[in-house]
Amino acid sequence: MVIRSHEHGSNVSNPTKRIRWATQRVTGTNERHIRQSIIDRFQTRKTTSVEKKRQSGDTSHLDGIAEEPEASEAGDAPQSSGRRIYFNIPLPDTATDDNGHLLARYERNKIRTAKYTPLSFIPKNLWFQFHNVANIYFLFVILLGIYWIFGNPNPALSSVPLIVILFLTAAKDGIEDWRRTVLDNELNNAPTHRLVDWNNVNTSEDNISLWRRIKKATTHSIISTYKTWTSKRSKKSAKGKTYAERAMDESRQSVDTRQSHRASVFSVQSGASEDGIKMTPVPSPQAETVLPLQNDRLAVVDRPNTSFSFEHEDSARPANGHLSAPEKPEKDFVPKFYGSVMDPFKQVPGKARFKSDYWKSVQVGDFVRIYNEDQIPADVVVLSTSDPDGQCYVETKNLDGETNLKVRQALHCSRTMKHAKDCEKASFVIESEPPNVNLYQYSGAVRWTQRDTRKPGEPGNEMAEPISINNLLLRGCSLRNTEWVLGVVVYTGRETKIMLNSGITPSKRSRIARDLNWYVVYNFAILFFMCLVSGIVQGVTWAKSATSSDFFEFGSIGGNSPLDGFITFWSCVILFQNLVPISLYISLEIIRTAQAFFIYSDTWMYYERLDYPCTPKSWNISDDLGQIEYIFSDKTGTLTQNVMEFKKCTINGVPYGEAYTEAQAGMQRRQGIDIEAEGAKARKQIGEDRVRMLHDLRKMHANPYLHDDELTFVAPDFVNDLGGFSGAEQAEANRSFMLALALCHTVITERTAGDPPKLEFKAQSPDEAALVATARDCGFTVMGRSNDGIILNILGQEEEFTVLNTLEFNSTRKRMSAIIRMPNGKIILYCKGADSVIYSRLRSGEQSQLRRLTGEHLEMFAREGLRTLCIACKEIGEEEYQRWNKEHDLAAAAIVDREDKLETVSDAIERELTLLGGTAIEDRLQDGVPDAIALLGDAGIKLWVLTGDKVETAINIGFSCNLLNNDMDLIVFKIEDETVESAEAELDRHLETFGLKGSDDELQNARKDHRAPSATHAIVIDGDSLKLVLQDELRQKFLLLCKQCKSVLCCRVSPSQKAAVVRMVKNGLDVMTLSVGDGANDVAMIQEADVGVGIAGEEGRQAVMSSDYAIGQFRYLQRLILVHGRWSYRRLAETIANFFYKNIVWTFALFWYQIYNNFDVTYLFDYTYILLVNLAFTSLPVIFMGILDQDVSDKVSLAVPQLYRRGIERKEWTSLKFWTYMLDGIYQSVICYYMGHFLFSPARFVTSSGLTINDRPRVGVFIACATIVVVNTYVLMNTYRLDWLMLLLTAISILLIFFWTGVYTAFASSLQFYKAAPQVFGQLSFWAMVLLTTGVCLLPRFAAKAFQKLYLPRDMDIIREQVGQGRFQHLDQYEAYVPPGKLPSAASSEVSQSAKPNPRGGKALDEDERPMYPPSVANTGTTHNPRSQTGSDGTDYTGHRRSLDQLPRPSFDRPLRPSFDRMRDSMDRIRPSFEASNDFTSAALLTRLESSHSGTPTRRTLHGESSLR
């Protein structure tokens, strides 16, 4: 390992080097001998195996002790079955074809989320549009009408409706997809720096297919045409992006819009041109320069010095050209030789240079240079970095949603590569595994021939070095705190891990649209029956002889009866074409477009901070928003702000800190407490304490690094105690506690220039940064890292602490330790971790009172939704440490089972600890998240959290979000041995709790049951266990188990697993699903769900690009779903039903007329009526019903979320509703036709001119006008919002047929229709018939609606009645969002349950909030265990002591503890149940806990066995 001195001039501190979670820092003389012997044994060992557990992937080294065989003989590394990438090496014959072309074909780095290209748009869009059966039908009708024998008066005119529909739909799809294309182009054209003017043998520039050339030419021509057209338009002033442009995602913060300001000399781009950029202004080694071998190692000459990495090169680098520790090296110590991929004898032209290029131009095998703050353009293996130790830091929030930094390492054999010329001199081959979706694992090897400069004639030795995930930068990550990285590309485009986890953009269709085809098929069946009857009757009639047709007709078109019937059949298809509503589809497109506009224009979903409204990306699935039953949400950045704030702590049994969390507010709300008043009181108290604490801190020490706005730990009594107010013992305890926070971490200190400079902490965990920041605020400031350890500023005095070892955190250990040599020479181990883990390692028989008090405080902190940790320490003797350190070195050198050996060694030292206290950190939720989740839960929507975070983190957030509560049994599903048999046994055990077996019948019942499960159980499962239960044989059982649980939290899941969970629920339960996320790791589940929602937060726009709707904050989801979603679903359901109804009335009126003309396909109505009936006469009311109708207002929709349940149960659009409207339409068609028929049967109407009006066209006017009045009035009667606009539109539609008749018949070109309007409208009988027909047609519908609302009212009917009574007038005082607790009770049995007396007093709880069993004592299916999750031992004895209720309350003579007292009072009134989780241990359980890890060696915990016992 290379150790360098603390660089005071550096802006970034020197990070501690680690082996995954174990770190070796400084060794003495004796340890160096031991280490050398280990290295000697390690170098002579020949092995063909790599570490068993590589999925964690952190490959690092320990002073030359490699985690894996870093550099070995070529035969040592296993051969890969994937790809081979060659660098400056001629391709072997096996890699080329007969023409010398490369056999391997790699994906381009250009990605496309859009569905269409300029060439594929027309055929592909038509293909999608003709998935609608009605479009196919009308195309057939148009083709049929071309032939005159079928009687179509105007075939060209009949094609207009279909053409208009196809054009408008295509325009909408084109605009929608164009926005995706723009975003794709922004990403593909983002800049990066790649090596040019050298031969990349892995690609072939001339191997471009003809089809791709045509596509590129077409795209370029379209773009150039578009630019020419836009340039001719009026030029806009150079202002920023407009509101609408930002909202529609035409810009995004990414590498293409951001300039990085780099301090390194490598990034100075003076003299750069468009052609190429010389990345280093210092001269590169000349081609003839041969690097001599010094001490068997390549010397480093002419390397540039930078302030970041090589500033003190002369002082830190020995003669052999390699950095070393400042102390004098031992003569017998020879560092491990890793070799170099650069060939010292290779002559190169020196023309290669790094050039700024587009992401889409990057290819496999390219050398790329990435700068600080840049995003990674492809999956890149790190060759070298600006850090001399080869480290770099990446932010992976676009992959796993986390903003904490990850450490990646450069390959040892390439760390001396810096310049473009070095890339030319390097000759090596990378053997890589095939592309796969695993984000946390990678296997590869680099192979090269090591040449010896002293023996130029010899061929050299074949060497290899393994490549792991620790050496790989994934596309989408961002480089942080590193000046530059040089790497080579191994995966591009769709083969990168992030794209493999993303999938392709699906073409989503709403459920109603999918069901609609079936109802259109039913109409086809009716149409077929009508046409068949007409054809048969007409054929039989013309077959009869001795009829009047023999004297008055000149023969038939067909010439014989069968052919006449056949022609009549197809003629009826044209006549009755309106039965299949083609206008329905264009009307639905108009409605959905208007709904998308209203969603976009809703100012209550506008996020002002980002200037971002709710933006619909897909306009055709708004009705699906009204049927969502399951929501799948990411955690980090979606539910939370990913901002950790240190709020409280307990030290030596004394609680400190003031906070009022959202989880605490939710708890008090359930108790009936006025949280607004309580919150205002708490915030006022916290504000006063904050001012006092800042004053006291500055009075004690003028801390220049304390910033008022960054203080999160508000505890003035802590400052007093630190100064000795409560005695020397408490002051020393507070000091030791803060020292532990400042020393036990892996934080990187970054300075920002200023006087004084501002310190910023970068950590792999945001929790660590919060702990270190709090120590800084309290006067224990981490200034940075020196050569030997950490430099602290303690209350104004700088001290240096030597870090001997760092044992890092992982999910198995649940703890982290740092072994520190104090300035006085003592060795102290500081340990922090989960409370149960730390308690089990405390010194047995000591600190019983402190344990009890600390446990009580931690339980209170956890109930407030805070993330808790325990802090402990231990003094280690010098001899004990030396013995342990020898074992640690041996374990660190192990190749096989290294993690297990290191865990065993670390476990041995982390015993007999002394408890210092505990911390409580808040992962701040986004505003309104708990209330939004509660509101969605009241609506019957189930929320699952799918996150890449740890189990402990997810559980904490679950409590903060009110997904988990104190009355739930928490099922932590973790399969230790990772076998399917164990997983099945665990599933069966939990299914027995609910009386289930996992059968097919149970699944069918679950698909029909849309009720929300009781709030008694919740599941937490990790990614490894999820992989098992998602297998085919276990998936059904796991689904049924989750169906019984109120909340499900899936942790440590990959993007593909997220999509698999969504697919399992969507297909298994046949429900509507919605996925919401903010990062690229959420794209797969967003695309898999029926509706995908992207949050335009701080993590880029990948999720937004692939989503159907984009919002600024999670809380807007409640309005999007409960208001706009419910409205859209109900509107469309009513619109479609009324569309089918009006078409059936019109078409059957024509059909009844055929009975009286032998079905000879005579048109009762004028042909213009048939064309305009759906286009003009009846379109406006039904369209605006779908756009504007409201049963209740948006405020009432939020106040009574139970109204949404009809959408979950799909009751607004059912087969019963369809057939009811169809039968009603048939009845009304009979009335409409026969009222006119019987009017003319006995009488002959004669006008004043003496002409009769009983001819076919004028009778058609009678029937047609009456039918139009009936249809439009019927639609108006089904509308809930009867305002002036709806009345006006209905009147316009009715008057339109009268207007058209008057205008059209005024011209002689109307032929027999001439003057029909004045002749018909002048008859009193016409108006009487219209009025009578309307009354008779609508009377049954009116009576049925009145009966239903009076005797069988729905929730909506009751709420509308209450609105009319003024019971919701109090909502007017709120603008849009109605605070929980302010909602009125509904009278419907479906909406609310009858109130019952509250056994605890106070406000009565709703039935769904009431515990299913008494606190802590009732037997359940899980209480057979004496230490069950509910705290019961399975007996009838109910006198057990609970966690806190019977604990003696200590009397502290201490002022100002309002937060602690407030929380304790709240806890006295609720059920303590944190024993339900091993991660949240109640105070009672902690007091019972023995120090099981303090006296005896640990053993591996068996499955189902608590680690606490």
Side-chain angles (χ1 to χ4, degrees), residues 560-621:
N560 57 74
S561 297
L563 188 56
D564 288 339
F566 178 81
I567 295 174
T568 300
F569 177 90
W570 294 112
S571 299
C572 286
V573 169
I574 299 176
L575 175 63
F576 303 141
Q577 62 180 285
N578 286 325
L579 185 62
V580 179
I582 186 174
S583 58
L584 170 62
Y585 290 95
I586 187 59
S587 298
L588 293 182
E589 293 295 336
I590 294 173
I591 291 170
R592 287 178 172 132
T593 301
Q595 289 173 349
F597 175 76
F598 289 151
I599 291 174
Y600 171 72
S601 303
D602 191 342
T603 57
W604 303 117
M605 293 191 293
Y606 168 69
Y607 190 37
E608 185 175 3
R609 193 171 73 84
L610 293 181
D611 190 18
Y612 201 89
C614 178
T615 306
K617 302 287 185 177
S618 299
W619 298 350
N620 60 341
I621 58 173

Side-chain angles (χ1 to χ4, degrees), residues 222-409:
I222 292 176
I223 292 176
S224 60
T225 303
Y226 175 76
K227 289 182 178 179
T228 303
W229 175 71
T230 54
S231 63
K232 292 181 180 180
R233 300 174 59 188
S234 58
K235 297 182 179 179
K236 296 183 179 180
S237 59
K239 297 181 179 179
K241 293 288 185 180
T242 63
Y243 169 95
E245 289 171 332
R246 283 191 296 271
M248 302 306 285
D249 276 343
E250 293 185 4
S251 68
R252 67 184 192 91
Q253 296 179 355
S254 66
V255 294
D256 55 334
T257 59
R258 183 178 63 244
Q259 293 291 335
S260 298
H261 300 281
R262 309 180 182 95
S264 172
V265 68
F266 290 117
S267 63
V268 177
Q269 299 183 10
S270 58
S273 64
E274 295 181 358
D275 295 334
I277 301 176
K278 293 288 186 180
M279 304 314 298
T280 54
V282 299
S284 297
Q286 300 301 316
E288 62 273 8
T289 302
V290 177
L291 302 180
L293 204 69
Q294 300 180 5
N295 296 332
D296 296 329
R297 308 190 69 174
L298 287 173
V300 182
V301 294
D302 294 334
R303 294 300 176 207
N305 295 328
T306 70
S307 61
F308 185 84
S309 58
F310 289 88
E311 190 171 73
H312 305 289
E313 183 175 345
D314 294 339
S315 61
R317 186 184 304 279
N320 63 358
H322 288 268
L323 294 175
S324 62
E327 62 266 16
K328 183 179 179 180
E330 295 293 327
K331 295 181 180 179
D332 58 349
F333 173 67
V334 179
K336 179 176 176 60
F337 176 57
Y338 293 104
S340 175
V341 295
M342 289 194 295
D343 188 349
F345 302 104
K346 187 174 183 179
Q347 301 296 323
V348 296
K351 296 181 179 180
R353 70 192 191 282
F354 284 98
K355 176 185 176 182
S356 180
D357 208 341
Y358 297 131
W359 276 27
K360 63 183 180 183
S361 301
V362 174
Q363 297 175 317
V364 171
D366 275 348
F367 288 90
V368 293
R369 198 157 199 162
I370 305 161
Y371 288 97
N372 190 34
E373 303 296 330
D374 285 352
Q375 288 192 11
I376 313 301
D379 290 353
V380 175
V381 171
V382 182
L383 297 179
S384 64
T385 72
S386 58
D387 186 88
D389 293 332
Q391 285 186 334
C392 63
Y393 302 91
V394 292
E395 191 175 60
T396 61
K397 62 184 179 182
N398 282 334
L399 295 179
D400 53 23
E402 297 184 2
T403 57
N404 50 299
L405 301 182
K406 307 293 192 305
V407 180
R408 293 294 180 260
Q409 297 281 345

Side-chain angles (χ1 to χ4, degrees), residues 107-217:
E107 289 285 344
R108 301 177 62 205
N109 204 39
K110 181 178 181 179
I111 56 100
R112 182 166 58 88
T113 60
K115 291 186 291 186
Y116 305 111
T117 64
L119 281 180
S120 67
F121 176 73
I122 293 178
K124 197 171 183 179
N125 186 262
L126 289 177
W127 169 257
F128 285 132
Q129 288 201 56
F130 279 102
H131 277 62
N132 290 332
V133 179
N135 287 346
I136 299 176
Y137 162 71
F138 272 94
L139 177 63
F140 175 74
V141 169
I142 291 171
L143 297 177
L144 199 65
I146 295 176
Y147 301 96
W148 64 269
I149 60 174
F150 297 115
N152 190 339
N154 195 333
L157 187 61
S158 63
S159 65
V160 171
L162 180 62
I163 294 174
V164 171
I165 289 172
L166 295 178
F167 175 79
L168 292 179
T169 304
K172 186 266 299 182
D173 292 341
I175 294 173
E176 185 177 314
D177 204 67
W178 173 257
R179 295 203 309 271
R180 296 183 189 270
T181 303
V182 169
L183 295 177
D184 288 343
N185 290 338
E186 288 185 2
L187 189 63
N188 291 326
N189 295 329
T192 190
H193 297 87
R194 73 184 188 100
L195 192 70
V196 297
D197 293 339
W198 75 289
N199 183 24
N200 183 357
V201 298
N202 303 283
T203 59
S204 179
E205 293 293 341
D206 57 350
N207 190 19
I208 300 177
S209 64
L210 177 62
W211 174 242
R212 181 179 161 190
R213 295 177 189 271
I214 295 175
K215 289 195 299 181
K216 288 174 69 68

Side-chain angles (χ1 to χ4, degrees), residues 105 187 238 694 1122 1153 1201 1284 1337 1372:
R105 292 290 183 266
L187 189 63
L694 288 170
L1122 301 183
Y1153 175 67
W1284 66 269
C1337 285
D1372 295 337

Side-chain angles (χ1 to χ4, degrees), residues 66 294 563 849 942 1034 1180 1226 1283 1324:
Q294 300 180 5
L563 188 56
Q849 178 73 1
K942 298 86 175 175
L1034 300 183
L1180 286 181
I1226 292 175
D1283 54 11
L1324 181 61

Side-chain angles (χ1 to χ4, degrees), residues 990-1244:
H990 290 298
L991 284 173
E992 289 178 1
T993 304
F994 304 98
L996 299 176
K997 300 293 185 182
S999 63
D1000 293 339
D1001 292 338
E1002 291 170 346
L1003 180 61
Q1004 292 301 320
N1005 293 333
R1007 295 174 71 131
K1008 299 175 184 177
D1009 184 10
H1010 298 282
R1011 294 174 299 176
S1014 302
T1016 58
H1017 291 80
I1019 286 183
V1020 180
I1021 184 171
D1022 64 357
D1024 293 335
S1025 302
L1026 186 63
K1027 180 172 61 176
L1028 297 174
V1029 299
L1030 287 179
Q1031 296 185 19
D1032 294 339
E1033 58 268 30
L1034 300 183
R1035 187 185 300 122
Q1036 181 169 312
K1037 290 184 177 181
F1038 177 64
L1039 179 60
L1040 288 173
L1041 177 61
C1042 292
K1043 183 73 167 61
Q1044 305 302 317
C1045 296
K1046 181 70 173 179
S1047 301
V1048 178
L1049 286 79
C1050 301
C1051 313
R1052 287 297 184 192
V1053 292
S1054 65
S1056 57
Q1057 283 181 315
K1058 290 183 179 182
V1061 171
V1062 175
R1063 190 182 310 114
M1064 174 189 72
V1065 176
K1066 181 178 70 173
N1067 299 333
L1069 296 178
D1070 189 28
V1071 294
M1072 297 296 294
T1073 59
L1074 180 146
S1075 294
V1076 54
D1078 67 323
N1081 59 318
D1082 304 314
V1083 169
M1085 73 170 182
I1086 284 174
Q1087 294 181 342
E1088 181 62 39
D1090 295 288
V1091 179
V1093 177
I1095 292 185
E1098 307 298 333
E1099 299 187 7
R1101 293 291 187 268
Q1102 283 81 0
V1104 167
M1105 288 169 59
S1106 302
S1107 66
D1108 303 304
Y1109 293 88
I1111 57 179
Q1113 291 275 275
F1114 180 86
R1115 66 179 183 272
Y1116 300 143
L1117 201 61
Q1118 62 182 4
R1119 186 171 180 86
L1120 179 64
I1121 293 176
L1122 301 183
V1123 177
H1124 292 282
R1126 196 182 69 84
W1127 281 348
S1128 297
Y1129 172 57
R1130 203 203 60 77
R1131 289 166 175 170
L1132 282 176
E1134 199 65 32
T1135 296
I1136 294 172
N1138 281 273
F1139 243 103
F1140 280 115
Y1141 149 79
K1142 69 185 185 68
N1143 286 342
I1144 208 79
V1145 173
W1146 181 265
T1147 305
F1148 267 85
L1150 290 172
F1151 180 77
W1152 304 133
Y1153 175 67
Q1154 301 303 313
I1155 297 175
Y1156 301 96
N1157 58 21
N1158 294 329
F1159 291 92
D1160 62 356
V1161 200
T1162 301
Y1163 284 53
L1164 172 62
F1165 306 139
D1166 186 80
Y1167 190 69
T1168 59
Y1169 280 5
I1170 295 177
L1171 291 179
L1172 293 176
V1173 61
N1174 283 322
L1175 186 63
F1177 299 155
T1178 61
S1179 59
L1180 286 181
V1182 73
I1183 288 177
F1184 277 88
M1185 167 194 275
I1187 294 175
L1188 299 176
D1189 194 25
Q1190 288 183 15
D1191 51 355
V1192 293
S1193 67
D1194 55 342
K1195 297 178 182 178
V1196 176
S1197 296
L1198 293 173
V1200 191
Q1202 292 84 353
L1203 292 174
Y1204 187 83
R1205 294 180 182 175
R1206 282 187 63 83
I1208 294 176
E1209 298 170 358
R1210 305 171 198 165
K1211 290 184 177 180
E1212 293 291 351
W1213 176 245
T1214 62
S1215 295
L1216 177 62
K1217 183 174 186 175
F1218 170 78
W1219 290 114
T1220 300
Y1221 275 75
M1222 294 288 284
L1223 293 175
D1224 201 1
I1226 292 175
Y1227 158 76
Q1228 294 185 29
S1229 69
V1230 171
I1231 301 300
C1232 289
Y1233 173 76
Y1234 280 101
M1235 288 293 285
H1237 177 84
F1238 289 125
L1239 177 65
F1240 284 94
S1241 293
R1244 300 291 183 266

